[in-house]
Amino acid sequence: MSGYGRAYLWLAIIAGFAAISQSVLELAADPPGSQWFVVALLTLVSGTATIKLPGVPAHISISESFLFTAVLLFGPAAGIATVVCDAIIASVRTQK
């Protein structure tokens, strides 16, 4: 990887951690309520339901619809927390 590639990678990692930290602080100051947990649970459960794209060796998850719902109903901080949880679950699932 070139020097620019490494710099870009580290910049993306730092920006991601900054966004996650900011959203955790916002959620601690103003919790989204119990409805957010329902949407987050639906996101995590629907992450297991994938659709194979025809002609391409790839699958997509239907959990994105719940991610967009979390952002629209509860704001960007709750959306970031939801997508982080979904990404962790997807990473664990693909490691098996």
Side-chain angles (χ1 to χ4, degrees):
M1 183 181 294
S2 71
Y4 290 120
R6 275 192 219 103
Y8 177 76
L9 179 64
W10 280 108
L11 182 64
I13 290 170
I14 292 168
F17 276 116
I20 292 168
S21 300
Q22 180 65 29
S23 70
V24 167
L25 290 174
E26 285 183 31
L27 290 174
D30 186 23
S34 61
Q35 294 91 1
W36 173 73
F37 290 106
V38 173
V39 174
L41 182 64
L42 288 171
T43 303
L44 298 179
V45 170
S46 67
T48 61
T50 59
I51 301 168
K52 178 162 177 11
L53 297 175
V56 184
H59 291 78
I60 60 170
S61 171
I62 60 172
S63 65
E64 280 80 16
S65 61
F66 295 109
L67 290 172
F68 292 130
T69 302
V71 171
L72 292 172
L73 292 178
F74 305 108
I80 289 172
T82 307
V83 78
V84 167
C85 292
D86 188 44
I88 290 170
I89 296 296
S91 295
V92 168
R93 223 182 356 247
T94 58
Q95 295 294 324
K96 293 180 180 181

